[in-house]
């Protein structure tokens, strides 16, 4: 978060809180307040605001998705799944909800379901770089190295400075036996601030020796 945005947050929150008091049935007011609370790290208040938005309008899929993201961050996968599935019952074309479910299944080590969700997300929005990058990790775990490399390259085409993208491509290339290319992307991941796995670094160095 930029310093300027951090400084502006209290003022934005104050204005949105006032708007919510003046318009207690405004879905958008509570939704935006919830998002700003999230940015400010005021998670209990963010949950309360987003729950209020859903209470006002039980078709508010974006509020469900953002509330699900909070619960995912807290490790409550069941609640996160429930909210994203509810969002999809409202809007079956939501790429973000499908992508979020992919992350949930990935956390549960159900890679087949994770791949299905990521692929659905990509069908609805092929420009979601993070989905391609997350798909890379799951395909690598499944041993689908060619598909993993292709997904990583697509993700980096959309987001060239993704540290996670370069790391995931490095891992995928390693398992394909492309050790020099793997090191190139691993170095880029480190340059971009990614905390690379020291065991992977050691293994790659031994392959290059």
């Amino acid at each position: 978060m930029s310093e300027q945005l951090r400084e502006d947050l209290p003022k934005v929150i104050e204005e949105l809180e006032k708007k919510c008091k003046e318009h207690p049935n405004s879905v958008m007011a509570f939704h935006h307040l919830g998002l700003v609370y999230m940015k400010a790290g005021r998670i209990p208040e963010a949950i309360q605001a987003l729950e209020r938005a859903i209470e006002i309008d039980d078709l508010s899929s974006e509020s469900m998705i953002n509330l699900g993201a909070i619960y995912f961050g807290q490790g409550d996968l069941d609640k996160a799944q429930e909210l994203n599935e509810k969002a999809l019952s409202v809007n079956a074309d939501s790429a973000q909800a499908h992508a979020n479910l992919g992350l949930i299944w990935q956390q549960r080590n159900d890679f087949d379901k994770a791949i299905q969700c990521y692929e659905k997300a990509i069908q609805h929005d092929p420009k979601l770089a993070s989905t391609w990058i997350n798909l890379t990790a799951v395909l690598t775990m499944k041993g689908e190295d060619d598909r993993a490399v292709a997904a990583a390259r697509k993700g980096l085409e959309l987001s060239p400075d993704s540290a996670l993208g370069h790391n995931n491509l490095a891992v995928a290339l390693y398992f394909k036996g492309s050790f020099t290319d793997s090191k190139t992307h691993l170095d880029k991941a480190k340059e971009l601030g990614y905390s690379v796995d020291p065991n992977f670094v050691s293994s790659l160095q031994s392959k290059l020796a």
Side-chain angles (χ1 to χ4, degrees):
M1 187 188 305
S2 71
E3 199 62 39
Q4 183 61 46
L5 179 57
R6 197 186 309 276
E7 291 175 2
D8 290 344
L9 278 176
K11 182 179 178 181
V12 174
I13 289 172
E14 183 181 349
E15 291 172 351
L16 283 170
E17 287 175 339
K18 180 180 178 183
K19 189 172 183 179
C20 287
K21 286 179 182 177
E22 293 172 348
H23 305 280
N25 292 314
S26 170
V27 177
M28 293 309 296
F30 281 96
H31 176 76
H32 287 139
L33 179 59
L35 296 185
V36 176
Y37 277 146
M38 285 174 69
K39 284 187 172 118
R42 294 167 61 172
I43 301 304
E45 291 156 297
I47 292 173
Q48 187 175 24
L50 291 168
E51 284 180 340
R52 175 57 184 154
I54 296 167
E55 181 184 341
I56 296 166
D57 181 4
D58 61 4
L59 300 180
S60 180
S61 60
E62 289 301 315
S63 296
M64 297 170 195
I65 288 169
N66 283 291
L67 185 55
I70 292 175
Y71 283 113
F72 180 84
Q74 293 180 332
D76 190 340
L77 300 185
D78 289 339
K79 188 66 175 176
Q81 181 177 345
E82 176 190 333
L83 284 158
N84 280 283
E85 287 178 344
K86 189 174 180 182
L88 285 174
S89 74
V90 174
N91 178 14
D93 295 337
S94 172
Q96 192 60 61
H98 283 297
N100 290 349
L101 285 171
L103 272 174
I104 291 165
W105 289 117
Q106 184 176 343
Q107 284 290 308
R108 289 177 165 151
N109 294 321
D110 191 328
F111 302 136
D112 289 329
K113 285 184 179 178
I115 290 170
Q116 289 173 8
C117 290
Y118 287 142
E119 288 178 339
K120 284 180 183 177
I122 288 165
Q123 285 173 12
H124 293 297
D125 185 358
K127 293 184 178 180
L128 270 179
S130 61
T131 304
W132 287 103
I133 291 166
N134 289 329
L135 176 60
T136 301
V138 181
L139 289 170
T140 299
M141 291 171 190
K142 287 273 293 178
E144 299 188 36
D145 301 327
D146 289 335
R147 289 183 64 199
V149 169
R153 292 198 188 284
K154 182 62 179 178
L156 287 173
E157 178 186 317
L158 295 165
S159 181
D161 291 330
S162 169
L164 178 60
H166 283 285
N167 178 79
N168 287 1
L169 179 53
V171 175
L173 287 165
Y174 172 91
F175 286 107
K176 266 184 65 75
S178 301
F179 304 123
T180 301
D181 287 345
S182 176
K183 185 177 186 305
T184 297
H185 287 282
L186 191 65
D187 289 344
K188 185 64 176 178
K190 288 191 283 188
E191 179 188 321
L192 291 167
Y194 190 82
S195 297
V196 301
D197 181 350
N199 292 324
F200 176 61
V201 174
S202 177
S203 180
L204 180 57
Q205 287 174 340
S206 70
K207 294 292 185 181
L208 291 167

